[in-house]
Structure formats: structure tokens, C-alpha cells
Amino acid sequence: MSVRVAVVGLGWAGRELWLPRLREHPAFDVVAVVDPSAASRAAYEQEAARDGAQGEEPDEARDGNGVPTGIPTGVPAVLADVDELDRRSVDLAVVAVPNHLHAEVAVALLERGIPVFVEKPVCLNSAEAEKLAQAETDGGAVLLAGSASRYRGDIGVLLDLVPSLGTVRHVELAWTRARGVPKSGGWFTSRSQAGGGVLLDLGWHLLDTLDAILGPVPMVQVAGTVSDDFVNDPSWGAAWRQDGPQAELRGDVEDTARGFLVSEYGTSVALRASWASHAERDLTLIRVEGSAGTATLRCVFGFSPNREPVPTLTLTREGSTESVALPTEPIGVEYGRQLDDLPRLLGDPAHRGSAVADIRRNIRITERFYESALALGAPSPEPSPLLPLGMS
């Protein structure tokens, strides 16, 4: 039986990332889309009408007794508010709204017993994490967190190598874009709406990957710095990402974050996330150094076309380096794999609460990272606090 899903938010993530994959996936039936913007709803309806005109006539839906309802199957309801969703007809809501609304929308749905899958970052601070935990408990529904990096084939091969590296002593994680600042003047670069900059965006994926490598290990030391050299220069924007027109507002978040973490077991972690840099191509670098060897993965997370052409993984032991075979995969396949796993997670009562535990740990790392950066002073002559919403 298909999972009946509602997509909440018709911005880039909802429109370009999740809706097409959910429509194509045999395990899901998109029954509703929700967006408070009349313009966004109208644009969606126009697109759906064009697609319908080019495709086959939809079948007619039937009720539980097999009686035709007069409503075509596969035609989602278009709604303005999540309050219009009915728990009896929705099994899961995919929350893809701007960052500052993630927790608010997810809490409202969870309290009504509607399971949610929330785009990263799931929340912006520890207070929101606690509200999510309480709503999950009160509503009896499950919270699922969006971060697809661990579903990549190359990450899977790397994780399989980790036990052979002995005791892990150091992990280096970096996601550096050449030019990839989200739409200048949009909510992504507004601290009041995004909660932070690249650390809460690309950094969320890196921290999720760190969890996959080390497990749920608390960090006892967190030091970080941030900078904003590129965020207000449109020439450093992400040309491949179509966010639509935005008001031209000055961004007040970081475009680069560099930090150093130490786990309670003494494992050190170097972390870097950059929306823009002077590099020629985008690169995601993950290096795991252990007592018995070092594994280094060079790839590119995300959808940017300016990428390393082929991911590579090497294993070094005692001065000898060998290449490790990686699967050939299309860009973005990890998001489909994450959808493959959602029905299992939805049906597993033991999974309730596990996403919140990960969220608590990782959002506290980001809070401490920003606290450390603020203590060092502003990165430019025009001070910008660069703290997540709710921490000032």
C-alpha cells in the first residue's frame, strides 16, 4: 500500500528536489501540496495542468467500498495551510519550507499525529529541538530527518572501510564550492530566516556524515571561525540553482565556516564548509585517519555541475596507497535511496526519538561553533552577529 504524502513548501527543495522523486517512486502517492503563497500555488497548478494535458487520462479514485468518487487519482489537493491536512488521509508530510519555519510547521503536524520528514536543518537551536521532541511524544507520530549524504554509494564504501582502519584518531570533513552562494538577497542568506549560513546548510550534511563514521559520540570541545567574503557579491552565486526572484537584501550570514572538534574519546575533527572559494571546482573531501590506515574520499555532494568528474577513494597503509573501487552513480541518486528507506522508518516504532537524539547533538555543535566564532570577534569591518536565531 502506498504511503500517502503531502509536500509542504513549494520552494526549490519542494518543487525541484522532492516532488519529482515522490511522484516517480512506487512507494508514495502525493495527495496534497501546501504553500501559503497564492502565487506559488497558482504556478504549481499551471505546471500540473500542463503535465496532465501531455499525459494519459488519470484513473478515477474509489472509496473504501469501491465506489467512484469523481476525483482523479494522482491529482494532489492544493492547500494554503497545514491545518487543512487530515490525519486520516495523510501518512507523511515532507516539510520543505524556509529554515525558520521547519520546527514550527513540524511541531504543528506532529502534535496532530501526522508523521513528518523535515528538510535539513531540522531546527535552528536547542530550544526548537526540545519542542520537536515534546511534539513527537505528545502526538505519537514519528519525526524523520532529511540528510541524504549517508545514502551515497561512495559513502557506503567508505563506511565499510572504517573498521579496517583501527582506532579512528582524526576525521577531516570539507565541502567547498567554487561559486555556490544561494540566491543573493533571499531567505537563505538572512539570519532571521535561515538561522545561520553555510554551517547550517552544507555543514549539516557533514555532521550527519560524521555521525555515520564515529557513531553518536558527544563533542567535548568545539572551536570555530566564520567569514563572509563572498555572500553579498552576486558573482559568487549558485547559477545552477533557480530560486526565483527575491528582494535584494544584504545577507548577514557566513559563507565559510572552519572549525575543530574533539570527541569525548579524543578523536579530533577538522570541519570546513564553504559556499564560495577560489577553488576551480567544487569538492567534498572526507579523510578518516586510523591507527591502522587512512581512507580518503574525494567526491561532490549535491547537484552543482562544477564538480570533480569522478569520485575517488584511496586507502593508505604503511606508505603504500591503493585505489578502492566505487560504484558509478547519477547525481542525486542518494535522495531516491533515502525515499526507499522512509516506509521502513515510518513503520518502525523503535525509530521514534532517534532522529531527535541526532538533532540535539548536532544542533548543539553548531551553537557552540557559532559561540566560539562570536567570541573571536566580527569577521569584517561591518559586524554581523552570525549566531543562529534565538541565541542572541
Side-chain angles (χ1 to χ4, degrees), residues 54-316:
Q54 297 170 2
E56 298 179 359
E57 286 294 318
D59 295 329
E60 189 175 11
R62 297 174 181 271
D63 65 18
N65 297 316
V67 177
T69 63
I71 302 173
T73 60
V75 179
V78 182
L79 309 174
D81 195 289
V82 293
D83 288 342
E84 300 177 62
L85 293 174
D86 185 346
R87 173 66 184 95
R88 295 168 296 181
S89 58
V90 176
D91 303 312
L92 176 69
V94 173
V95 177
V97 296
N99 291 4
H100 71 293
L101 297 174
H102 282 186
E104 176 185 333
V105 171
V107 165
L109 291 165
L110 288 167
E111 287 179 340
R112 293 170 52 208
I114 298 177
V116 296
F117 172 79
V118 187
E119 254 291 346
K120 59 83 194 160
V122 178
C123 62
L124 304 185
N125 51 57
S126 293
E128 290 186 348
E130 295 312 311
K131 289 179 181 179
L132 287 166
Q134 190 63 51
E136 188 180 37
T137 299
D138 293 345
V142 66
L143 166 66
L144 304 175
S147 188
S149 58
R150 65 176 67 198
Y151 291 91
R152 293 175 58 92
D154 47 19
I155 291 292
V157 176
L158 173 65
L159 295 177
D160 288 341
L161 276 182
V162 169
S164 73
L165 301 178
T167 303
V168 176
R169 301 300 187 189
H170 180 71
V171 181
E172 181 181 354
L173 303 127
W175 185 353
T176 305
R177 288 178 179 166
R179 293 176 185 265
V181 178
K183 184 72 175 181
S184 177
W187 68 261
F188 238 112
T189 58
S190 167
R191 182 169 62 89
S192 65
Q193 296 184 73
V198 69
L199 182 62
L200 276 172
D201 181 27
L202 308 188
W204 191 278
H205 293 281
L206 296 178
L207 290 174
D208 182 66
T209 303
L210 181 64
D211 276 353
I213 294 170
L214 296 182
V217 180
M219 294 293 152
V220 295
Q221 297 180 36
V222 179
T225 65
V226 295
S227 55
D228 55 2
D229 299 322
F230 309 103
V231 69
N232 286 301
D233 185 341
S235 68
W236 295 92
W240 53 271
R241 178 174 168 143
Q242 302 301 316
D243 289 297
Q246 302 281 0
E248 286 302 319
L249 303 174
R250 181 173 174 80
D252 59 355
V253 299
E254 81 283 355
D255 55 55
T256 296
R258 301 174 179 89
F260 196 80
L261 324 175
V262 180
S263 81
E264 67 176 9
Y265 300 122
T267 308
S268 58
V269 179
L271 181 73
R272 174 179 176 172
S274 295
W275 276 335
S277 69
H278 294 286
E280 181 181 1
R281 292 190 181 91
D282 295 3
L283 172 67
T284 304
L285 173 68
I286 303 171
R287 179 175 290 115
V288 184
E289 300 179 15
S291 59
T294 297
T296 303
L297 174 64
R298 296 173 63 90
C299 62
V300 180
F301 289 179
F303 296 93
S304 168
N306 182 28
R307 57 202 298 123
E308 292 283 304
V310 178
T312 61
L313 175 62
T314 59
L315 176 61
T316 301

